[in-house]
Amino acid sequence: MLGIGKKVAEEAMQQAENAAQVAVNTAGQTVQQVVEQAKDAGQKALDEVYKVAETGEKAVKNVANQATAWGKSFGQ
């Protein structure tokens, strides 16, 4: 009888270890997904910043060109 109890205890321990490993794997996958989502969100934010900066740069160039054109027309 003692052998059966020991075997049941060993099987229970193995099942607990397997469940713990599954939990760790699942947590690891979840963390990886969160990291990927954060990277994607960060890249999208950077893309938006670059678009805004590019638009601002174009606006400054347009204003400078317009000012130059006005200066030339008044100077002639």
Side-chain angles (χ1 to χ4, degrees):
M1 286 297 237
L2 230 75
I4 293 174
K6 183 177 179 185
K7 183 151 180 89
V8 169
E10 287 173 353
E11 287 177 5
M13 180 63 101
Q14 184 63 45
Q15 288 178 356
E17 288 173 358
N18 290 345
Q21 186 61 54
V22 167
V24 167
N25 291 347
T26 301
Q29 290 171 354
T30 301
V31 168
Q32 184 62 33
Q33 289 172 349
V34 169
V35 167
E36 289 300 321
Q37 289 172 351
K39 284 169 51 179
D40 289 346
Q43 186 60 53
K44 286 178 183 176
L46 281 176
D47 291 347
E48 286 302 313
V49 167
Y50 290 137
K51 284 180 190 175
V52 168
E54 192 174 79
T55 301
E57 184 179 347
K58 286 178 183 176
V60 168
K61 285 181 181 177
N62 286 340
V63 169
N65 289 339
Q66 189 64 45
T68 300
W70 287 339
K72 286 181 181 177
S73 67
F74 287 123
Q76 290 180 344

